[in-house]
Amino acid sequence: MHVIVCIKQVPETSNVRMDPQTGTIVREGVESIVNPFDLHALELALRLKEQRGGRVTAISMGPRAAETAIREALSMGCDDGLLLSDRAFAGSDTWATSRVLSAAVRKLAPFDLVLAGVRATDGETGQVGPGVASLLALPLATYVSSVLELTDGFVTVERLIEEGYESLRLPLPCLLTAGKEVGFPRLPTLRGKQRARRQEVVHRGPTDIEVDAARVGLAGSPTRVTAIERPTLTRTGRIVDAARIGAGRAAAELADFLQEHHLL
Amino acid sequence: MAVWTLAEQAGGRLKRVSYELLTWGRHLADGLEASGRPAELCAIALGARLREEDLEELTERGADRVCVAESPGLDPFLVEAHAGVLEMLVRWGRPEIIIAAATTAGRTLMPYLAVRLETGLTADCTRLEIDPDTGHLVQIRPAAGGKVLATIMTADHRPQMATVRPHAAQPPPRRPAAPALGACITRVDVPDGLAESPVEWLALRAEQAAGAAVQDAERVVAGGRGLKRAEGFGVVRNLARALEAAVGASREAVDRGWIGYPHQVGLSGKTVTPRLYVAVGISGAIQHLAGMQTADVIVAVNEDADAQIFQVADLGVVGDLFEVVPALVEEVERRRAAREGDG
Ligand SMILES: Cc1cc2nc3c(=O)[nH]c(=O)nc-3n(C[C@H](O)[C@H](O)[C@H](O)COP(=O)(O)OP(=O)(O)OC[C@H]3O[C@@H](n4cnc5c(N)ncnc54)[C@H](O)[C@@H]3O)c2cc1C
């Protein structure tokens, strides 16, 4: 079995900082991590490999520094790593990214399963997985919470939707986007880390994967970020100081306010 | 020129978000009109057998046209079947704009369709406008973990596609007597083999998400880290009971295990648009505000006079929540008892 996992390197968002003067994101000193959802996708791939044998390839599009993300995947137990890194790819939106990743996946055929995280924590769009499936005409299941069965030629999955858990049976090869429930990501072992350090990470550009450089990257992206603004807060409400007038009177004022607005 | 909204259904009934999308769509159709580009608002409804009254309700809530495609393959939702039919409709109808809900179905279908149509898509928009000069769709969404708002345009490709969060808008008022002038319901035949998917739908294990209660509630009382510990949530629950409100929470409260994730309000939780939102011991981080800013009335209780939550509050109480909130519960119950005594 050959499983391909699409991963992305993202900034550690819990401490994204803004430059108060320019309103832009401070990139310096912000740690990069593998997108947390992608770690769950990797975990799922490795579990399937343990059950069924075969190999797992981790691929990513990003700057050269994203090689760290590939190495982390290798140290968790992936067999091969491929980094799609080129100037031509820079500034890709989700459409262009889908195009690059799908071209790379096509080159890695034959494969049985393509996995991705449900979304990346930086862009929060969740569009790349479905985009890749669409371009490769692969059957698609998003928001997968567990793989129930993997038999000859078919995979049965459960996905978490608004109404509950829905089960689907997909023919292989297909593409799944994995949520957190598929399994808690394993930590790299010491041996895994040593192996990953020695292993070669293949770098590929547009000619290698046969995509038109003009149709990827910023130039090939239909969407453009045209402005960035800091959110402005709008309401200017009334303030009641309970420390001064006491909790009882503050509560009475609150109740008056609710009554005025027909909320009591 | 046309603005399309994608209705969502389950078992033949349209979901509430299908009507909410008309609020967004009408705003855009009006914007196009104002920029000298008259536009029709068209709701697209795909399903196996859709309830007639629901389709009519779309016109009563402002759709100029409802385009219906029915086929057994379109219910339950499978992305390949829906995308197949939609791609056909788009190539025929050539809409200027398509908006859909950022639900699990919408967030699967829209990117799948967008790459087929070779056009751009912007997810989770919090505001949509029409540029008065160019007539382009101006898409605004939180970026960088909610720290900034990014404006995104799809200038050179059509249709322009965007998703918006459920509950971020109210459905337009229903005018049963006067559906949009000359509104009509058009049925489209689905050619054989188009509404098909290689994927087999097996079953649904229904599980009512606890979060639905928060999203559908008219009133929400939410607690944050200021509650100090799990038991502190009792204060919030008491107020919620007194006000007949659902219980919400900040991420800090959820991460500390004081309450389940379905209750989380904000960027990585639920978006709510209740008539009343009461924030108790919540600082008002931008990621939290992203989920509740559109509430009609916002009340905040916080001991820190400089807390950011006060900047969005209609009424802010500076004080210790453990004193103010129980006092409010008492006051509310006293007034209610008095009123019932009168009546
Ligand atoms: C990518 C990303 C996504 C996020 N998504 C979300 C999200 O969906 N929802 C969300 O809520 N957050 C989200 N966050 C986290 C957010 O940045 C804040 O950390 C969080 O909202 C803070 O929660 P809080 O207000 O409860 O806690 P704090 O910021 O610690 O505020 C606690 C408040 O309680 C007040 N207080 C303390 N004691 C008392 C008392 N006795 N009486 C009255 N007031 C008191 C304090 O003055 C303070 O203002 C996200 C962050 C990131 C980076």
Side-chain angles (χ1 to χ4, degrees):
Chain A
M1 229 196 41
H2 183 200
V3 183
I4 300 171
V5 188
C6 304
I7 65 173
K8 183 181 187 186
Q9 193 175 51
V10 298
E12 230 278 58
T13 43
S14 55
N15 46 43
V16 169
R17 285 177 302 128
M18 301 295 303
D19 183 324
Q21 251 75 51
T22 60
T24 54
I25 302 157
V26 181
R27 297 248 176 230
E28 295 87 70
V30 178
E31 205 193 328
S32 290
I33 55 168
V34 176
N35 174 41
F37 285 104
D38 300 346
L39 292 176
H40 293 276
L42 285 166
E43 176 64 27
L44 175 60
L46 295 169
R47 285 187 190 185
L48 293 174
K49 174 185 151 179
E50 280 158 8
Q51 287 166 18
R52 312 267 313 180
R55 63 199 174 88
V56 178
T57 307
I59 71 170
S60 184
M61 187 191 85
R64 295 192 75 83
E67 200 179 298
T68 332
I70 297 284
R71 287 205 191 278
E72 185 167 340
L74 292 173
S75 64
M76 284 171 74
C78 291
D79 301 277
D80 297 290
L82 168 64
L83 181 66
L84 301 150
S85 189
D86 194 282
R87 275 200 121 87
F89 298 152
S92 290
D93 71 358
T94 58
W95 188 86
T97 306
S98 304
R99 180 170 276 275
V100 171
L101 288 175
S102 60
V105 168
R106 201 177 276 129
K107 286 273 169 195
L108 290 170
F111 55 85
D112 302 280
L113 213 48
V114 183
L115 302 180
V118 284
R119 62 168 187 273
T121 53
D122 55 350
E124 294 266 351
T125 71
Q127 285 167 196
V128 171
V132 170
S134 186
L135 286 170
L136 293 171
L138 291 173
L140 166 67
T142 49
Y143 302 95
V144 168
S145 54
S146 67
V147 168
L148 300 177
E149 196 181 25
L150 185 68
T151 52
D152 317 302
F154 288 94
V155 62
T156 307
V157 303
E158 256 191 346
R159 59 192 294 261
L160 181 56
I161 61 171
E162 289 80 1
E163 290 82 11
Y165 293 89
E166 180 186 72
S167 48
L168 302 176
R169 185 161 181 264
L170 298 87
L172 301 178
C174 65
L175 188 145
L176 311 176
T177 73
K180 284 185 179 165
E181 304 85 352
V182 296
F184 194 77
R186 65 194 62 194
L187 291 171
T189 59
L190 191 60
R191 258 189 50 221
K193 279 186 187 167
Q194 286 167 343
R195 201 175 52 85
R197 215 173 299 137
R198 287 193 304 269
Q199 208 172 332
E200 190 208 0
V201 172
V202 184
H203 288 236
R204 289 282 181 263
T207 41
D208 306 311
I209 58 169
E210 295 176 55
V211 292
D212 181 352
R215 300 193 67 200
V216 296
L218 190 62
S221 295
T223 60
R224 279 276 184 295
V225 175
T226 56
I228 294 279
E229 61 182 284
R230 308 191 62 203
T232 45
L233 309 170
T234 40
R235 303 181 197 206
T236 38
R238 193 150 57 88
I239 295 290
V240 173
D241 190 351
R244 203 168 48 79
I245 63 171
R249 271 196 42 208
E253 288 216 21
L254 256 169
D256 287 345
F257 175 85
L258 293 177
Q259 245 164 356
E260 279 163 36
H261 287 83
H262 310 287
L263 288 160
L264 259 194
Chain B
M1 205 170 262
V3 176
W4 284 12
T5 61
L6 302 187
E8 278 193 31
Q9 65 99 35
R13 294 298 314 261
L14 294 185
K15 297 186 187 174
R16 176 192 138 109
V17 71
S18 311
Y19 306 114
E20 291 171 14
L21 288 173
L22 295 174
T23 298
W24 295 86
R26 178 49 66 198
H27 177 65
L28 297 177
D30 288 349
L32 284 168
E33 187 104 32
S35 79
R37 299 168 179 83
E40 178 185 74
L41 176 58
C42 175
I44 308 289
L46 307 186
R49 258 187 48 209
L50 293 161
R51 195 166 168 266
E52 203 62 35
E53 290 86 343
D54 290 3
L55 299 175
E56 271 158 28
E57 186 169 342
L58 288 168
T59 66
E60 290 161 7
R61 292 191 190 270
D64 299 312
R65 180 192 299 276
V66 179
C67 181
V68 186
E70 288 172 324
S71 163
L74 293 173
D75 185 22
F77 172 84
L78 290 170
V79 63
E80 296 83 5
H82 276 246
V85 174
L86 266 171
E87 188 180 345
M88 174 194 80
L89 292 177
V90 171
R91 296 202 188 281
W92 155 78
R94 306 174 63 84
E96 180 74 4
I97 295 169
I98 305 180
I99 46 180
T103 54
T104 55
R107 299 187 117 206
T108 305
L109 177 59
M110 290 287 271
Y112 196 89
L113 185 63
V115 301
R116 290 273 166 98
L117 299 170
E118 307 217 347
T119 190
L121 165 63
T122 306
D124 270 343
C125 298
T126 49
R127 231 172 78 209
L128 295 173
E129 303 290 344
I130 296 292
D131 183 293
D133 300 323
T134 59
H136 293 329
L137 178 63
V138 181
Q139 307 163 111
I140 295 154
R141 77 183 296 262
K147 293 263 154 78
V148 295
L149 289 174
T151 301
I152 296 168
M153 312 266 279
T154 307
D156 306 322
H157 297 72
R158 291 295 181 271
Q160 305 160 93
M161 298 173 68
T163 63
V164 295
R165 284 224 172 168
H167 291 272
Q170 299 287 342
R174 189 175 180 180
R175 298 205 174 79
L181 210 63
C184 60
I185 298 180
T186 311
R187 283 177 195 276
V188 182
D189 284 334
V190 178
D192 278 348
L194 203 58
E196 269 172 27
S197 166
V199 179
E200 188 188 346
W201 189 90
L202 299 175
L204 174 70
R205 190 154 58 83
E207 197 156 291
Q208 184 59 25
V214 185
Q215 279 201 316
D216 293 333
E218 283 227 321
R219 297 142 188 237
V220 175
V221 178
R225 194 156 69 107
L227 295 168
K228 307 235 162 36
R229 56 190 168 275
E231 297 73 52
F233 247 92
V235 174
V236 163
R237 288 210 174 85
N238 287 344
L239 181 59
R241 199 172 309 123
L243 293 174
E244 293 165 3
V247 176
S250 74
R251 189 167 93 175
E252 283 289 337
V254 171
D255 284 353
R256 282 176 166 66
W258 299 346
I259 189 162
Y261 169 71
H263 296 270
Q264 184 175 318
V265 172
L267 187 69
S268 45
K270 301 284 184 316
T271 302
V272 298
T273 318
R275 283 188 55 218
L276 172 68
Y277 190 89
V278 185
V280 179
I282 292 176
S283 62
I286 198 74
Q287 295 89 355
H288 187 77
L289 301 185
M292 42 65 76
Q293 229 169 350
T294 50
D296 286 346
V297 174
I298 298 173
V299 171
V301 182
N302 198 304
E303 65 181 0
D304 174 7
D306 296 325
Q308 182 164 263
I309 192 75
F310 289 133
Q311 297 184 33
V312 297
D314 298 289
L315 184 72
V317 179
V318 182
D320 184 353
L321 71 91
F322 293 104
E323 292 176 13
V324 175
V325 177
L328 177 60
V329 172
E330 233 174 76
E331 185 71 25
V332 168
E333 282 169 354
R334 203 176 51 74
R335 292 192 189 196
R336 199 161 275 148
R339 203 169 46 204
E340 273 154 24
D342 290 347

